[in-house]
Every structure is written in C-alpha cells, then in structure tokens.
Amino acid sequence: GATSTQARTAPYCTNAPFYTAAGFPAVVFGPGTIEPAHTVDEWISLEALEAGSRAYEALIRGAGTPG
C-alpha cells in the first residue's frame, strides 16, 4: 500500500541502476500501486495521491536525511 516500506521487485524499468552504478544513491517510489500504473486505464485513489504528496513534501523538506 501507500505506506509500505518493504523493498520488492517490480516488472518495470527505471534508470535508478545507472545512477547507483555511477555512485549516486537512488530510490524509486511513487503513490499508489504498480498494477494500474502506466496502463491505458491508469488510476490512483485520492488517499494514495494525498499520501504521495505528503511523502514528496517530506523528502523535499529533508525529513529523510540523517541527522
């Protein structure tokens, strides 16, 4: 769900491995679930959208940085 923190594999592609190979840390995340993402009928619940917005804001404000 929108609050899951467990790492897992997914059947899609991202450029994150190229960044990490170059020495830059990378995290891939986004609101909602992967099943309807990037499909013809893509959708996201309002709750997941709001949770994603809060997560992006926290990241921008530095809540995810050590110290």
Side-chain angles (χ1 to χ4, degrees), residues 7-57:
R8 63 184 177 107
T9 61
Y12 55 83
C13 184
T14 175
N15 290 330
F18 299 107
Y19 294 119
T20 58
F24 298 98
V27 175
V28 178
F29 75 100
T33 59
I34 194 58
E35 291 79 15
H38 312 295
T39 64
V40 173
D41 295 320
E42 181 173 7
W43 63 273
I44 185 172
S45 70
L46 289 177
E47 293 83 9
L49 181 63
E50 291 167 353
S53 178
R54 289 189 301 273
Y56 289 128
E57 181 180 3

